[in-house]
PDB file of all heavy atoms in Angstrom:
ATOM      1  N   ILE A  11     -17.645  11.435  71.169  1.00 71.00           N
ATOM      2  CA  ILE A  11     -16.545  10.984  70.477  1.00 71.00           C
ATOM      3  C   ILE A  11     -15.915   9.895  71.281  1.00 71.00           C
ATOM      4  O   ILE A  11     -15.818   9.743  72.447  1.00 71.00           O
ATOM      5  CB  ILE A  11     -15.385  12.114  70.570  1.00 71.00           C
ATOM      6  CG1 ILE A  11     -15.855  13.357  69.800  1.00 71.00           C
ATOM      7  CG2 ILE A  11     -14.042  11.781  70.137  1.00 71.00           C
ATOM      8  CD1 ILE A  11     -14.932  14.567  69.900  1.00 71.00           C
ATOM      9  N   PHE A  12     -15.599   8.746  70.472  1.00 67.00           N
ATOM     10  CA  PHE A  12     -15.045   7.482  70.917  1.00 67.00           C
ATOM     11  C   PHE A  12     -15.904   6.933  72.023  1.00 67.00           C
ATOM     12  O   PHE A  12     -15.563   6.407  73.024  1.00 67.00           O
ATOM     13  CB  PHE A  12     -13.600   7.650  71.598  1.00 67.00           C
ATOM     14  CG  PHE A  12     -12.787   8.172  70.467  1.00 67.00           C
ATOM     15  CD1 PHE A  12     -11.800   9.181  70.899  1.00 67.00           C
ATOM     16  CD2 PHE A  12     -12.684   7.673  69.258  1.00 67.00           C
ATOM     17  CE1 PHE A  12     -10.832   9.737  69.862  1.00 67.00           C
ATOM     18  CE2 PHE A  12     -11.699   8.121  68.234  1.00 67.00           C
ATOM     19  CZ  PHE A  12     -10.838   9.183  68.597  1.00 67.00           C
ATOM     20  N   GLY A  13     -17.228   7.121  71.846  1.00 71.00           N
ATOM     21  CA  GLY A  13     -18.255   6.476  72.590  1.00 71.00           C
ATOM     22  C   GLY A  13     -18.546   7.391  74.006  1.00 71.00           C
ATOM     23  O   GLY A  13     -19.265   6.956  74.867  1.00 71.00           O
ATOM     24  N   ALA A  14     -17.853   8.484  74.195  1.00 72.00           N
ATOM     25  CA  ALA A  14     -18.038   9.261  75.385  1.00 72.00           C
ATOM     26  C   ALA A  14     -18.706  10.584  75.038  1.00 72.00           C
ATOM     27  O   ALA A  14     -18.419  11.216  73.924  1.00 72.00           O
ATOM     28  CB  ALA A  14     -16.734   9.623  76.006  1.00 72.00           C
ATOM     29  N   ASN A  15     -19.691  11.010  75.722  1.00 76.00           N
ATOM     30  CA  ASN A  15     -20.279  12.368  75.633  1.00 76.00           C
ATOM     31  C   ASN A  15     -19.449  13.411  76.151  1.00 76.00           C
ATOM     32  O   ASN A  15     -19.110  13.260  77.282  1.00 76.00           O
ATOM     33  CB  ASN A  15     -21.695  12.332  76.213  1.00 76.00           C
ATOM     34  CG  ASN A  15     -22.770  11.469  75.512  1.00 76.00           C
ATOM     35  OD1 ASN A  15     -22.869  11.509  74.320  1.00 76.00           O
ATOM     36  ND2 ASN A  15     -23.472  10.674  76.264  1.00 76.00           N
ATOM     37  N   ILE A  16     -19.186  14.378  75.391  1.00 77.00           N
ATOM     38  CA  ILE A  16     -18.480  15.563  75.829  1.00 77.00           C
ATOM     39  C   ILE A  16     -19.202  16.773  75.655  1.00 77.00           C
ATOM     40  O   ILE A  16     -19.884  17.014  74.729  1.00 77.00           O
ATOM     41  CB  ILE A  16     -17.002  15.661  75.251  1.00 77.00           C
ATOM     42  CG1 ILE A  16     -17.217  15.813  73.668  1.00 77.00           C
ATOM     43  CG2 ILE A  16     -16.220  14.461  75.554  1.00 77.00           C
ATOM     44  CD1 ILE A  16     -15.705  16.019  73.039  1.00 77.00           C
ATOM     45  N   SER A  17     -19.064  17.709  76.675  1.00 78.00           N
ATOM     46  CA  SER A  17     -19.758  19.007  76.584  1.00 78.00           C
ATOM     47  C   SER A  17     -19.126  19.878  75.546  1.00 78.00           C
ATOM     48  O   SER A  17     -18.063  19.708  75.042  1.00 78.00           O
ATOM     49  CB  SER A  17     -19.722  19.620  77.972  1.00 78.00           C
ATOM     50  OG  SER A  17     -18.495  20.196  78.177  1.00 78.00           O
ATOM     51  N   LEU A  18     -20.010  20.938  75.120  1.00 78.00           N
ATOM     52  CA  LEU A  18     -19.375  21.899  74.119  1.00 78.00           C
ATOM     53  C   LEU A  18     -18.255  22.747  74.729  1.00 78.00           C
ATOM     54  O   LEU A  18     -17.431  23.080  73.920  1.00 78.00           O
ATOM     55  CB  LEU A  18     -20.575  22.817  73.658  1.00 78.00           C
ATOM     56  CG  LEU A  18     -21.630  22.117  72.863  1.00 78.00           C
ATOM     57  CD1 LEU A  18     -22.596  23.006  72.520  1.00 78.00           C
ATOM     58  CD2 LEU A  18     -21.030  21.515  71.647  1.00 78.00           C
ATOM     59  N   SER A  19     -18.178  22.783  75.986  1.00 80.00           N
ATOM     60  CA  SER A  19     -17.064  23.570  76.587  1.00 80.00           C
ATOM     61  C   SER A  19     -15.739  22.631  76.438  1.00 80.00           C
ATOM     62  O   SER A  19     -14.736  23.305  76.319  1.00 80.00           O
ATOM     63  CB  SER A  19     -17.228  23.950  78.020  1.00 80.00           C
ATOM     64  OG  SER A  19     -17.447  22.770  78.856  1.00 80.00           O
ATOM     65  N   VAL A  20     -15.868  21.415  76.446  1.00 82.00           N
ATOM     66  CA  VAL A  20     -14.733  20.507  76.258  1.00 82.00           C
ATOM     67  C   VAL A  20     -14.317  20.610  74.737  1.00 82.00           C
ATOM     68  O   VAL A  20     -13.094  20.653  74.436  1.00 82.00           O
ATOM     69  CB  VAL A  20     -14.981  19.148  76.844  1.00 82.00           C
ATOM     70  CG1 VAL A  20     -13.905  18.241  76.309  1.00 82.00           C
ATOM     71  CG2 VAL A  20     -15.128  19.091  78.203  1.00 82.00           C
ATOM     72  N   VAL A  21     -15.420  20.530  73.903  1.00 82.00           N
ATOM     73  CA  VAL A  21     -15.095  20.612  72.467  1.00 82.00           C
ATOM     74  C   VAL A  21     -14.359  21.885  72.187  1.00 82.00           C
ATOM     75  O   VAL A  21     -13.371  21.929  71.497  1.00 82.00           O
ATOM     76  CB  VAL A  21     -16.493  20.605  71.690  1.00 82.00           C
ATOM     77  CG1 VAL A  21     -16.305  20.983  70.264  1.00 82.00           C
ATOM     78  CG2 VAL A  21     -17.083  19.288  71.758  1.00 82.00           C
ATOM     79  N   ASP A  22     -14.887  23.059  72.675  1.00 83.00           N
ATOM     80  CA  ASP A  22     -14.195  24.219  72.556  1.00 83.00           C
ATOM     81  C   ASP A  22     -12.873  24.371  72.945  1.00 83.00           C
ATOM     82  O   ASP A  22     -11.946  24.808  72.291  1.00 83.00           O
ATOM     83  CB  ASP A  22     -14.937  25.455  73.292  1.00 83.00           C
ATOM     84  CG  ASP A  22     -14.509  26.782  72.987  1.00 83.00           C
ATOM     85  OD1 ASP A  22     -14.346  27.258  71.691  1.00 83.00           O
ATOM     86  OD2 ASP A  22     -14.194  27.559  73.903  1.00 83.00           O
ATOM     87  N   PHE A  23     -12.532  23.676  74.193  1.00 84.00           N
ATOM     88  CA  PHE A  23     -11.215  23.693  74.794  1.00 84.00           C
ATOM     89  C   PHE A  23     -10.151  22.874  73.950  1.00 84.00           C
ATOM     90  O   PHE A  23      -9.191  23.330  73.555  1.00 84.00           O
ATOM     91  CB  PHE A  23     -11.202  23.052  76.169  1.00 84.00           C
ATOM     92  CG  PHE A  23      -9.872  22.635  76.653  1.00 84.00           C
ATOM     93  CD1 PHE A  23      -9.127  23.560  77.262  1.00 84.00           C
ATOM     94  CD2 PHE A  23      -9.376  21.299  76.632  1.00 84.00           C
ATOM     95  CE1 PHE A  23      -7.884  23.285  77.733  1.00 84.00           C
ATOM     96  CE2 PHE A  23      -8.177  21.034  77.150  1.00 84.00           C
ATOM     97  CZ  PHE A  23      -7.353  21.915  77.725  1.00 84.00           C
ATOM     98  N   LEU A  24     -10.742  21.660  73.437  1.00 85.00           N
ATOM     99  CA  LEU A  24      -9.896  20.850  72.464  1.00 85.00           C
ATOM    100  C   LEU A  24      -9.648  21.533  71.130  1.00 85.00           C
ATOM    101  O   LEU A  24      -8.596  21.503  70.584  1.00 85.00           O
ATOM    102  CB  LEU A  24     -10.553  19.488  72.289  1.00 85.00           C
ATOM    103  CG  LEU A  24     -10.642  18.547  73.470  1.00 85.00           C
ATOM    104  CD1 LEU A  24     -11.370  17.282  73.166  1.00 85.00           C
ATOM    105  CD2 LEU A  24      -9.156  18.267  73.882  1.00 85.00           C
ATOM    106  N   GLN A  25     -10.603  22.166  70.631  1.00 85.00           N
ATOM    107  CA  GLN A  25     -10.522  22.907  69.324  1.00 85.00           C
ATOM    108  C   GLN A  25      -9.404  24.010  69.539  1.00 85.00           C
ATOM    109  O   GLN A  25      -8.548  24.074  68.660  1.00 85.00           O
ATOM    110  CB  GLN A  25     -11.778  23.617  68.862  1.00 85.00           C
ATOM    111  CG  GLN A  25     -12.743  22.582  68.398  1.00 85.00           C
ATOM    112  CD  GLN A  25     -14.064  23.214  68.073  1.00 85.00           C
ATOM    113  OE1 GLN A  25     -14.516  24.138  68.708  1.00 85.00           O
ATOM    114  NE2 GLN A  25     -14.744  22.689  67.057  1.00 85.00           N
ATOM    115  N   LYS A  26      -9.481  24.707  70.578  1.00 85.00           N
ATOM    116  CA  LYS A  26      -8.474  25.757  70.712  1.00 85.00           C
ATOM    117  C   LYS A  26      -7.026  25.212  70.972  1.00 85.00           C
ATOM    118  O   LYS A  26      -6.130  25.682  70.399  1.00 85.00           O
ATOM    119  CB  LYS A  26      -8.788  26.658  71.885  1.00 85.00           C
ATOM    120  CG  LYS A  26      -9.984  27.546  71.672  1.00 85.00           C
ATOM    121  CD  LYS A  26     -10.311  28.467  72.843  1.00 85.00           C
ATOM    122  CE  LYS A  26     -11.629  29.192  72.584  1.00 85.00           C
ATOM    123  NZ  LYS A  26     -12.177  29.837  73.777  1.00 85.00           N
ATOM    124  N   LYS A  27      -6.969  24.034  71.761  1.00 83.00           N
ATOM    125  CA  LYS A  27      -5.743  23.477  71.974  1.00 83.00           C
ATOM    126  C   LYS A  27      -5.057  22.843  70.728  1.00 83.00           C
ATOM    127  O   LYS A  27      -3.807  22.782  70.648  1.00 83.00           O
ATOM    128  CB  LYS A  27      -5.742  22.570  73.155  1.00 83.00           C
ATOM    129  CG  LYS A  27      -5.884  23.207  74.453  1.00 83.00           C
ATOM    130  CD  LYS A  27      -4.674  23.772  74.906  1.00 83.00           C
ATOM    131  CE  LYS A  27      -4.731  24.422  76.247  1.00 83.00           C
ATOM    132  NZ  LYS A  27      -3.685  25.286  76.589  1.00 83.00           N
ATOM    133  N   LEU A  28      -5.918  22.277  70.022  1.00 86.00           N
ATOM    134  CA  LEU A  28      -5.371  21.456  68.952  1.00 86.00           C
ATOM    135  C   LEU A  28      -5.505  22.030  67.589  1.00 86.00           C
ATOM    136  O   LEU A  28      -5.101  21.314  66.470  1.00 86.00           O
ATOM    137  CB  LEU A  28      -6.170  20.173  68.854  1.00 86.00           C
ATOM    138  CG  LEU A  28      -6.173  19.286  70.217  1.00 86.00           C
ATOM    139  CD1 LEU A  28      -7.002  18.146  70.064  1.00 86.00           C
ATOM    140  CD2 LEU A  28      -4.723  18.924  70.564  1.00 86.00           C
ATOM    141  N   GLN A  29      -6.052  23.377  67.342  1.00 84.00           N
ATOM    142  CA  GLN A  29      -6.212  23.747  66.082  1.00 84.00           C
ATOM    143  C   GLN A  29      -5.023  23.855  65.151  1.00 84.00           C
ATOM    144  O   GLN A  29      -5.125  23.601  63.880  1.00 84.00           O
ATOM    145  CB  GLN A  29      -6.972  25.138  66.193  1.00 84.00           C
ATOM    146  CG  GLN A  29      -6.177  26.198  66.783  1.00 84.00           C
ATOM    147  CD  GLN A  29      -7.034  27.499  66.845  1.00 84.00           C
ATOM    148  OE1 GLN A  29      -8.095  27.652  66.468  1.00 84.00           O
ATOM    149  NE2 GLN A  29      -6.406  28.502  67.527  1.00 84.00           N
ATOM    150  N   ASP A  30      -3.962  24.213  65.626  1.00 86.00           N
ATOM    151  CA  ASP A  30      -2.735  24.426  64.945  1.00 86.00           C
ATOM    152  C   ASP A  30      -1.786  23.146  65.077  1.00 86.00           C
ATOM    153  O   ASP A  30      -0.656  23.173  64.654  1.00 86.00           O
ATOM    154  CB  ASP A  30      -2.026  25.714  65.273  1.00 86.00           C
ATOM    155  CG  ASP A  30      -2.727  26.887  65.015  1.00 86.00           C
ATOM    156  OD1 ASP A  30      -3.608  26.853  63.900  1.00 86.00           O
ATOM    157  OD2 ASP A  30      -2.811  27.870  65.749  1.00 86.00           O
ATOM    158  N   THR A  31      -2.175  22.162  65.774  1.00 88.00           N
ATOM    159  CA  THR A  31      -1.385  20.962  66.007  1.00 88.00           C
ATOM    160  C   THR A  31      -1.450  19.996  64.929  1.00 88.00           C
ATOM    161  O   THR A  31      -2.635  19.685  64.491  1.00 88.00           O
ATOM    162  CB  THR A  31      -1.885  20.405  67.466  1.00 88.00           C
ATOM    163  OG1 THR A  31      -1.770  21.368  68.305  1.00 88.00           O
ATOM    164  CG2 THR A  31      -0.943  19.175  67.785  1.00 88.00           C
ATOM    165  N   ILE A  32      -0.285  19.516  64.415  1.00 88.00           N
ATOM    166  CA  ILE A  32      -0.522  18.450  63.339  1.00 88.00           C
ATOM    167  C   ILE A  32       0.138  17.114  63.655  1.00 88.00           C
ATOM    168  O   ILE A  32      -0.125  16.272  62.985  1.00 88.00           O
ATOM    169  CB  ILE A  32       0.303  19.045  62.128  1.00 88.00           C
ATOM    170  CG1 ILE A  32       1.723  19.435  62.399  1.00 88.00           C
ATOM    171  CG2 ILE A  32      -0.510  20.210  61.401  1.00 88.00           C
ATOM    172  CD1 ILE A  32       2.512  19.729  61.071  1.00 88.00           C
ATOM    173  N   ALA A  33       0.917  17.059  64.697  1.00 91.00           N
ATOM    174  CA  ALA A  33       1.553  15.741  65.218  1.00 91.00           C
ATOM    175  C   ALA A  33       0.904  15.223  66.426  1.00 91.00           C
ATOM    176  O   ALA A  33       0.600  16.032  67.449  1.00 91.00           O
ATOM    177  CB  ALA A  33       3.069  16.021  65.394  1.00 91.00           C
ATOM    178  N   VAL A  34       0.695  13.916  66.535  1.00 92.00           N
ATOM    179  CA  VAL A  34       0.018  13.317  67.792  1.00 92.00           C
ATOM    180  C   VAL A  34       1.070  13.553  69.033  1.00 92.00           C
ATOM    181  O   VAL A  34       0.536  13.825  70.035  1.00 92.00           O
ATOM    182  CB  VAL A  34      -0.210  11.806  67.457  1.00 92.00           C
ATOM    183  CG1 VAL A  34       1.054  11.059  67.308  1.00 92.00           C
ATOM    184  CG2 VAL A  34      -1.100  11.211  68.539  1.00 92.00           C
ATOM    185  N   GLU A  35       2.248  13.535  68.702  1.00 94.00           N
ATOM    186  CA  GLU A  35       3.302  13.698  69.863  1.00 94.00           C
ATOM    187  C   GLU A  35       2.969  15.197  70.452  1.00 94.00           C
ATOM    188  O   GLU A  35       2.947  15.358  71.701  1.00 94.00           O
ATOM    189  CB  GLU A  35       4.673  13.607  69.457  1.00 94.00           C
ATOM    190  CG  GLU A  35       5.080  12.279  69.055  1.00 94.00           C
ATOM    191  CD  GLU A  35       4.659  11.911  67.585  1.00 94.00           C
ATOM    192  OE1 GLU A  35       4.146  12.789  66.782  1.00 94.00           O
ATOM    193  OE2 GLU A  35       4.832  10.733  67.189  1.00 94.00           O
ATOM    194  N   GLN A  36       2.845  16.208  69.573  1.00 93.00           N
ATOM    195  CA  GLN A  36       2.676  17.561  70.065  1.00 93.00           C
ATOM    196  C   GLN A  36       1.238  17.796  70.723  1.00 93.00           C
ATOM    197  O   GLN A  36       1.242  18.361  71.834  1.00 93.00           O
ATOM    198  CB  GLN A  36       2.810  18.421  68.900  1.00 93.00           C
ATOM    199  CG  GLN A  36       2.687  20.010  69.256  1.00 93.00           C
ATOM    200  CD  GLN A  36       2.597  20.827  67.905  1.00 93.00           C
ATOM    201  OE1 GLN A  36       2.307  20.421  66.858  1.00 93.00           O
ATOM    202  NE2 GLN A  36       2.724  22.081  68.192  1.00 93.00           N
ATOM    203  N   ALA A  37       0.287  17.039  70.319  1.00 92.00           N
ATOM    204  CA  ALA A  37      -1.016  17.074  70.865  1.00 92.00           C
ATOM    205  C   ALA A  37      -0.952  16.436  72.245  1.00 92.00           C
ATOM    206  O   ALA A  37      -1.471  17.005  73.091  1.00 92.00           O
ATOM    207  CB  ALA A  37      -1.986  16.252  69.908  1.00 92.00           C
ATOM    208  N   ASN A  38      -0.316  15.334  72.448  1.00 92.00           N
ATOM    209  CA  ASN A  38      -0.252  14.726  73.699  1.00 92.00           C
ATOM    210  C   ASN A  38       0.500  15.569  74.628  1.00 92.00           C
ATOM    211  O   ASN A  38       0.241  15.619  75.749  1.00 92.00           O
ATOM    212  CB  ASN A  38       0.417  13.331  73.494  1.00 92.00           C
ATOM    213  CG  ASN A  38      -0.574  12.167  73.113  1.00 92.00           C
ATOM    214  OD1 ASN A  38      -1.797  12.312  73.319  1.00 92.00           O
ATOM    215  ND2 ASN A  38       0.023  11.255  72.493  1.00 92.00           N
ATOM    216  N   GLU A  39       1.537  16.303  74.224  1.00 93.00           N
ATOM    217  CA  GLU A  39       2.423  17.163  75.100  1.00 93.00           C
ATOM    218  C   GLU A  39       1.548  18.318  75.466  1.00 93.00           C
ATOM    219  O   GLU A  39       1.412  18.651  76.665  1.00 93.00           O
ATOM    220  CB  GLU A  39       3.562  17.685  74.385  1.00 93.00           C
ATOM    221  CG  GLU A  39       4.523  18.430  75.220  1.00 93.00           C
ATOM    222  CD  GLU A  39       5.774  18.875  74.529  1.00 93.00           C
ATOM    223  OE1 GLU A  39       6.336  17.986  73.603  1.00 93.00           O
ATOM    224  OE2 GLU A  39       6.137  19.980  74.600  1.00 93.00           O
ATOM    225  N   LEU A  40       0.713  18.873  74.617  1.00 90.00           N
ATOM    226  CA  LEU A  40      -0.118  20.089  74.990  1.00 90.00           C
ATOM    227  C   LEU A  40      -1.261  19.601  76.063  1.00 90.00           C
ATOM    228  O   LEU A  40      -1.356  20.387  76.942  1.00 90.00           O
ATOM    229  CB  LEU A  40      -0.900  20.506  73.702  1.00 90.00           C
ATOM    230  CG  LEU A  40      -0.012  21.339  72.776  1.00 90.00           C
ATOM    231  CD1 LEU A  40      -0.825  21.665  71.417  1.00 90.00           C
ATOM    232  CD2 LEU A  40       0.299  22.751  73.469  1.00 90.00           C
ATOM    233  N   LEU A  41      -1.791  18.480  75.823  1.00 88.00           N
ATOM    234  CA  LEU A  41      -2.739  18.060  76.729  1.00 88.00           C
ATOM    235  C   LEU A  41      -2.255  17.588  77.978  1.00 88.00           C
ATOM    236  O   LEU A  41      -2.832  17.865  79.106  1.00 88.00           O
ATOM    237  CB  LEU A  41      -3.592  16.859  76.114  1.00 88.00           C
ATOM    238  CG  LEU A  41      -4.561  17.361  74.955  1.00 88.00           C
ATOM    239  CD1 LEU A  41      -5.220  16.040  74.351  1.00 88.00           C
ATOM    240  CD2 LEU A  41      -5.600  18.322  75.473  1.00 88.00           C
ATOM    241  N   GLN A  42      -1.034  17.128  78.064  1.00 90.00           N
ATOM    242  CA  GLN A  42      -0.410  16.756  79.406  1.00 90.00           C
ATOM    243  C   GLN A  42      -0.184  18.046  80.160  1.00 90.00           C
ATOM    244  O   GLN A  42      -0.400  18.154  81.298  1.00 90.00           O
ATOM    245  CB  GLN A  42       0.863  16.022  79.293  1.00 90.00           C
ATOM    246  CG  GLN A  42       1.449  15.630  80.562  1.00 90.00           C
ATOM    247  CD  GLN A  42       2.721  14.757  80.456  1.00 90.00           C
ATOM    248  OE1 GLN A  42       3.360  14.518  79.375  1.00 90.00           O
ATOM    249  NE2 GLN A  42       3.302  14.409  81.583  1.00 90.00           N
ATOM    250  N   LYS A  43       0.488  18.957  79.449  1.00 90.00           N
ATOM    251  CA  LYS A  43       0.667  20.322  80.124  1.00 90.00           C
ATOM    252  C   LYS A  43      -0.588  21.072  80.571  1.00 90.00           C
ATOM    253  O   LYS A  43      -0.612  21.757  81.611  1.00 90.00           O
ATOM    254  CB  LYS A  43       1.530  21.259  79.230  1.00 90.00           C
ATOM    255  CG  LYS A  43       2.958  20.976  78.983  1.00 90.00           C
ATOM    256  CD  LYS A  43       3.621  21.820  77.957  1.00 90.00           C
ATOM    257  CE  LYS A  43       5.029  21.290  77.756  1.00 90.00           C
ATOM    258  NZ  LYS A  43       5.754  22.215  76.814  1.00 90.00           N
ATOM    259  N   SER A  44      -1.608  20.973  79.822  1.00 87.00           N
ATOM    260  CA  SER A  44      -2.833  21.635  80.120  1.00 87.00           C
ATOM    261  C   SER A  44      -3.675  21.000  81.196  1.00 87.00           C
ATOM    262  O   SER A  44      -4.264  21.622  82.181  1.00 87.00           O
ATOM    263  CB  SER A  44      -3.807  21.680  78.886  1.00 87.00           C
ATOM    264  OG  SER A  44      -3.110  22.434  77.938  1.00 87.00           O
ATOM    265  N   VAL A  45      -3.852  19.599  81.139  1.00 86.00           N
ATOM    266  CA  VAL A  45      -4.741  18.874  82.057  1.00 86.00           C
ATOM    267  C   VAL A  45      -4.163  17.649  82.770  1.00 86.00           C
ATOM    268  O   VAL A  45      -4.745  17.013  83.603  1.00 86.00           O
ATOM    269  CB  VAL A  45      -6.130  18.421  81.385  1.00 86.00           C
ATOM    270  CG1 VAL A  45      -6.850  19.644  80.930  1.00 86.00           C
ATOM    271  CG2 VAL A  45      -5.761  17.516  80.148  1.00 86.00           C
ATOM    272  N   GLY A  46      -2.863  17.563  82.454  1.00 88.00           N
ATOM    273  CA  GLY A  46      -2.235  16.340  83.152  1.00 88.00           C
ATOM    274  C   GLY A  46      -2.378  14.972  82.715  1.00 88.00           C
ATOM    275  O   GLY A  46      -1.948  13.939  83.255  1.00 88.00           O
TER     276      GLY A  46
END
């Protein structure tokens, strides 16, 4: 994704975090809280 190889565990993590997210602002907030 975007030129970077990511593992399936990262894909799974992102899918779970972002599955119900529809706004970029909400997605950024979730990722900041999860991984900084």
Side-chain angles (χ1 to χ4, degrees):
I11 295 181
F12 303 129
N15 289 317
I16 61 172
S17 69
L18 291 178
S19 60
V20 172
V21 169
D22 185 54
F23 170 80
L24 289 172
Q25 285 173 329
K26 287 178 183 172
K27 286 290 180 187
L28 303 177
Q29 67 184 356
D30 297 325
T31 307
I32 57 172
V34 67
E35 296 83 6
Q36 182 185 16
N38 279 333
E39 186 178 321
L40 281 170
L41 290 174
Q42 182 179 5
K43 287 179 182 177
S44 299
V45 295

